[in-house]
Amino acid sequence: VKVPIWSEENGQDDIKWYRADKQADGNYQLRVFVKDHKSYFGNYHVHLYYEQENGQTVGVSSTKTNIDFPKPSGKLTIQNESSQLGSFEVVLSDVSAALAIDQVYLPIWTEENGQDDIKWYKADKQADGTYKTTVQISQHKNSYGPYKIHSYYRLSNGQMFGVTDTTVILNQQKAIINSKSTENNQQIFTISNIDSKVEKLQLAVWTSSKGQDDLTWYDAIRQENGSYQVVVPLKNHNFEKRSI
């Protein structure tokens, strides 16, 4: 009993002729592995031939069967989210697929203005079997707010499959301002929690008395620890001791 079998994809490029084994009950049986057919999934053609004692081979019947592709799976999580650095890490865990994974892709874009900032990241496989990539908001027009994250597997047979998706909201950080007075009529302002991408920072300072009649703009000086500092001479504000 001969059984030629091939997948519908790319014609008969994966055709294989099997010999079925006779069973005790008189039936014939064989097992087919998808990996022996270029790991194609989908429709398979199955034909049946009898090889007779006189050497002739006779076609008997045929059928089709569909081999569904097991849906790949995975779980997306976000870690090390930093508004200050303007970045976050995407981790794909619980990775499962019927075939070997050649590459994991993570298309990511912000909700603002649709997919005008979409970027396809290649995730790197980690020692623990997860996949990870780092996302910089500078690659997405420095946008904050919701980020859409999808995942795709490219498998060893070249096929691409969408797996899962999630959303992360990256909130813009708020600066923290502290101040202290000195004995020589100065007020020192320290500004921390500043985005590392800030190139210049200024403070507009005035007293609560008489509106903004003493409004003065000061350039803040970046400190070694990443904070900024401004020294305000009170003489620029009429030596007023009210709130600044």
Side-chain angles (χ1 to χ4, degrees):
V1 174
K2 293 182 176 180
V3 186
I5 298 176
W6 67 95
S7 68
E8 204 164 82
E9 188 166 350
N10 296 327
Q12 291 187 332
D13 68 331
D14 64 307
I15 189 169
K16 186 178 171 87
W17 284 75
Y18 294 90
R19 288 186 178 271
D21 297 322
K22 190 173 183 178
Q23 308 298 298
D25 59 2
N27 291 326
Y28 286 77
Q29 182 177 298
L30 64 94
R31 179 170 294 277
V32 179
F33 292 92
V34 171
K35 65 182 178 61
D36 294 328
H37 293 269
K38 299 187 176 181
S39 295
Y40 290 147
F41 286 84
N43 288 325
Y44 271 75
H45 295 269
V46 182
H47 286 212
L48 174 63
Y49 289 83
Y50 291 166
E51 187 179 276
Q52 299 177 326
E53 290 182 352
N54 62 4
Q56 289 183 316
T57 301
V58 180
V60 180
S61 65
S62 64
T63 188
K64 286 184 180 181
T65 186
N66 184 272
I67 308 299
D68 291 329
F69 192 95
K71 181 175 173 58
S73 61
K75 179 183 178 183
L76 284 169
T77 55
I78 308 302
Q79 65 181 29
N80 296 327
E81 180 185 343
S82 173
S83 297
Q84 185 173 1
L85 296 176
S87 67
F88 58 89
E89 291 178 342
V90 181
V91 178
L92 183 67
S93 60
D94 300 336
V95 177
S96 177
L99 302 176
I101 298 173
D102 281 346
Q103 185 65 59
V104 171
Y105 293 95
L106 300 174
I108 298 175
W109 66 96
T110 60
E111 210 170 71
E112 185 176 359
N113 297 324
Q115 292 186 334
D116 66 330
D117 63 315
I118 189 170
K119 180 177 173 64
W120 284 72
Y121 293 84
K122 290 183 178 180
D124 298 320
K125 189 172 185 178
Q126 309 298 299
D128 60 1
T130 62
Y131 288 78
K132 184 170 69 173
T133 193
T134 300
V135 178
Q136 300 285 346
I137 69 166
S138 59
Q139 299 295 313
H140 298 272
K141 300 184 177 182
N142 289 308
S143 296
Y144 288 88
Y147 274 71
K148 300 291 185 180
I149 304 168
H150 287 216
S151 61
Y152 287 82
Y153 297 167
R154 188 184 70 200
L155 303 181
S156 57
N157 64 354
Q159 290 179 295
M160 287 272 286
F161 287 89
V163 181
T164 186
D165 63 87
T166 189
T167 300
V168 60
I169 298 177
L170 190 64
N171 295 313
Q172 193 165 12
Q173 66 181 358
K174 294 182 179 180
I176 300 173
I177 303 178
N178 293 304
S179 67
K180 66 178 182 179
S181 300
T182 66
E183 294 179 356
N184 54 349
N185 289 317
Q186 292 180 331
Q187 192 81 11
I188 299 178
F189 292 91
T190 300
I191 309 97
S192 57
N193 202 31
I194 299 298
D195 194 314
S196 61
K197 299 177 181 63
V198 170
E199 295 182 356
K200 185 177 182 179
L201 190 150
Q202 291 182 307
L203 287 190
V205 180
W206 68 94
T207 60
S208 57
S209 175
K210 299 179 183 179
Q212 291 185 332
D213 67 324
D214 60 320
L215 172 64
T216 306
W217 286 85
Y218 297 90
D219 289 332
I221 307 300
R222 184 179 175 86
Q223 309 298 299
E224 290 185 359
N225 62 1
S227 66
Y228 285 76
Q229 194 173 89
V230 171
V231 178
V232 176
L234 296 187
K235 67 179 181 180
N236 294 346
H237 302 274
N238 304 316
F239 292 99
E240 293 183 21
K241 297 294 185 180
R242 301 178 182 180
S243 59
I244 295 180

